[in-house]
Amino acid sequence: DASYEAIFTNDVRNDGLATTLSMGQQTSRIKVGTFVVNVYLRTAYICAQATAFIAEVTSGRMVLGLGVSHPVVNSQLGIDMGTPLPTLRTYVTDVQNWLQRKGPEFLVSLRPLDVSVPIYVAALSSKAVEQAGAIADGIMPIFWPPSRVSQSRTWIQRGRSKAPERGAFEIALGLPTFAGDD
């Protein structure tokens, strides 16, 4: 009712995909999604299946934000981040393929997904933004000043030039908000 375009959640202290489903069931117009879910916490197949379900239940209002989280978070969970940028690239590509119903026939439904799901990635460095430009539909930076947003256009274009068939690209600047009884 407040005319916001979207509302997002993350994997901090909850399951971001389950929370997105709940938000989608409680609303009818606003886009819902993740800002962001940690790619190390679930396989690309499980992420894509949950995302497809949420997208269908919400009539295409789902936006999937993916990221590698932070070393301090992942190390406390026993996760070795390895090489984050190649890991993120592979994960995004795998999720996109599953959402397009590409994969072993026994793991995908024969019916194509009725709605498309934009995939955004958490990106802060110039290399991460450039990679996002090549593989994703948008980025989800946090705490960027306007000058950094302007600067990122060059990196996005560099990435987009490597994937000319990709469509529009968006920058989702989040406003972290915590809802509670107070």
Side-chain angles (χ1 to χ4, degrees), residues 82-103:
T83 52
L85 278 180
T87 297
L88 185 60
R89 174 182 284 279
T90 299
Y91 195 93
V92 168
T93 301
D94 289 349
V95 169
Q96 288 167 333
N97 285 334
W98 286 118
L99 288 173
Q100 294 169 13
R101 305 302 199 222
K102 296 177 183 173

Side-chain angles (χ1 to χ4, degrees), residues 3-18:
S3 298
Y4 287 103
E5 183 177 348
I7 184 169
F8 297 99
T9 190
N10 58 37
D11 270 341
V12 177
R13 295 189 176 95
N14 76 87
D15 181 324
L17 291 170

Side-chain angles (χ1 to χ4, degrees), residues 101-129:
R101 305 302 199 222
K102 296 177 183 173
E105 194 170 315
F106 70 95
L107 288 177
V108 295
S109 107
L110 298 175
R111 184 179 60 81
L113 192 60
D114 292 334
V115 295
S116 65
V117 178
I119 297 179
Y120 293 14
V121 296
L124 299 176
S125 71
S126 60
K127 287 182 181 181
V129 173

Side-chain angles (χ1 to χ4, degrees), residues 70 121-129 139-144 148 152 155:
H70 306 281
V121 296
L124 299 176
S125 71
S126 60
K127 287 182 181 181
V129 173
I139 56 172
M140 293 178 151
I142 192 161
F143 305 128
W144 272 15
R148 183 80 168 176
S152 73
W155 308 326

